[in-house]
Amino acid sequence: MINIQVVYALPNQPTIIDCAVDEQTNVLQAIAKSNILSLCNIQLDGHFVGIYGKRCELTEQLKDGDRIEIYRALINDPKEIRRKKAALKKK
């Protein structure tokens, strides 16, 4: 068995679940075992996942101590925000 974490963070409410899974577990299996999708009322399709900030596939094998992160969609595009600020400064 290996120990992992599954994380989904809303701005003011992070959900962190510690899990013990078999050594041959992949990312999708660990997410299912953690039950985080029903706890946070989210659907996995449309979300990217990663391990410690680096995007990965759902089929990637886990190692002891990995932290699976389920990423939310961006509300605002950072590039667009910078463009708008630059345009305001020119006026």
Side-chain angles (χ1 to χ4, degrees):
M1 297 294 274
I2 59 174
N3 295 309
I4 55 117
Q5 283 187 329
V6 182
V7 178
Y8 181 71
L10 294 172
N12 296 320
Q13 182 183 359
T15 301
I16 302 170
I17 298 173
D18 293 312
C19 264
V21 296
D22 293 327
E23 290 183 21
Q24 300 303 317
T25 302
N26 65 29
V27 172
L28 181 59
Q29 293 166 333
I31 290 171
K33 182 173 182 180
S34 73
N35 203 29
I36 197 166
L37 298 178
S38 62
L39 287 173
C40 295
N41 198 25
I42 58 173
Q43 303 255 338
L44 195 54
D45 54 330
H47 288 80
F48 292 111
V49 297
I51 298 175
Y52 284 116
K54 183 178 178 185
R55 274 191 41 199
C56 70
E57 298 296 321
L58 294 171
T59 56
E60 186 167 327
Q61 294 291 96
L62 296 172
K63 298 182 288 290
D64 191 38
D66 277 350
R67 176 184 169 110
I68 301 168
E69 300 162 345
I70 302 172
Y71 303 123
R72 295 179 289 119
L74 292 177
I75 295 171
N76 296 313
D77 181 11
K79 290 179 185 177
E80 188 61 32
I81 292 170
R82 286 193 295 272
R83 282 189 201 109
K84 288 179 181 178
K85 284 182 181 179
L88 289 173
K89 288 181 181 179
K90 289 182 180 180
K91 291 182 179 182

